[in-house]
Each structure stands twice: as structure tokens, then as C-alpha cells.
Amino acid sequence: MVLRIEQVPSDAETVLMLIGRITSPDVQQLKALLAEVPNPVALDLQQVRLVDLDAAHFLAAAERRGIELRHLPQYVREWVFLEKARLAEAE
């Protein structure tokens, strides 16, 4: 399964629903998409089944920049937490 991105209509914010798996090539696509959508933005990961290291790193950096991450699977939440700590150490 590949990553599918759906924009959920909302007046107050831009919500992008991510469906499937997020891998390294998808990260570049997500970065480009986030550069185009108006703020505030939220990523809904309820239907994400798999992420790789690049995706976890991207999600951690996105959350640090103020992008809301919603409905993360528990293992993704824990991985993002670890990546955020690594990003903080690198600063």
C-alpha cells in the first residue's frame, strides 16, 4: 500500500488525512504539500499503518514546528517522541 493524502474540509484549519504507509519518498511529497497549504495545519495519521525512520524524523520535526499530529498509532507516537528528543540534542 502506498501513501494516500486526503484534504479534509475545514474552515479553521487545513487537515491532511494520511492513509497507508509513509516512507522516505513520501516525506518529500509531504514537505512540498505542506509548503503549499495555508496554516494552521494538522496531520491525521489514524489510518497510517507503517512509517520508516525518515517519516518518523519528519513527523517529529513537523510537530516541533507547530504542526498538529492527530490520532497517531502508539508505536508512531513513541518513535516521534524519541526523534524529538534527538532533534533537541542536536540543537
Side-chain angles (χ1 to χ4, degrees):
M1 176 179 247
V2 297
L3 178 66
R4 192 170 85 221
I5 304 169
E6 295 180 1
Q7 189 165 344
V8 179
S10 174
D11 291 335
E13 63 190 354
T14 301
V15 178
L16 300 175
M17 181 174 289
L18 308 179
I19 302 162
R21 44 173 68 181
I22 308 172
T23 60
S24 297
D26 303 315
V27 169
Q28 297 307 316
Q29 178 186 4
L30 283 167
K31 285 180 180 179
L33 183 59
L34 289 174
E36 296 174 4
V37 298
N39 288 329
V41 65
L43 300 176
D44 188 325
L45 286 88
Q46 184 170 10
Q47 296 184 47
V48 167
R49 299 295 169 237
L50 179 73
V51 298
D52 69 6
L53 177 59
D54 286 341
H57 186 82
F58 163 75
L59 292 169
E63 190 169 56
R64 288 190 59 168
R65 288 192 331 265
I67 294 173
E68 182 183 354
L69 304 180
R70 296 180 181 167
H71 307 117
L72 276 76
Q74 186 60 35
Y75 87 95
V76 176
R77 170 49 64 201
E78 291 172 11
W79 204 356
V80 167
F81 179 77
L82 292 172
E83 288 301 312
K84 282 175 62 175
R86 288 189 187 125
L87 289 172
E89 288 175 5
E91 289 182 342

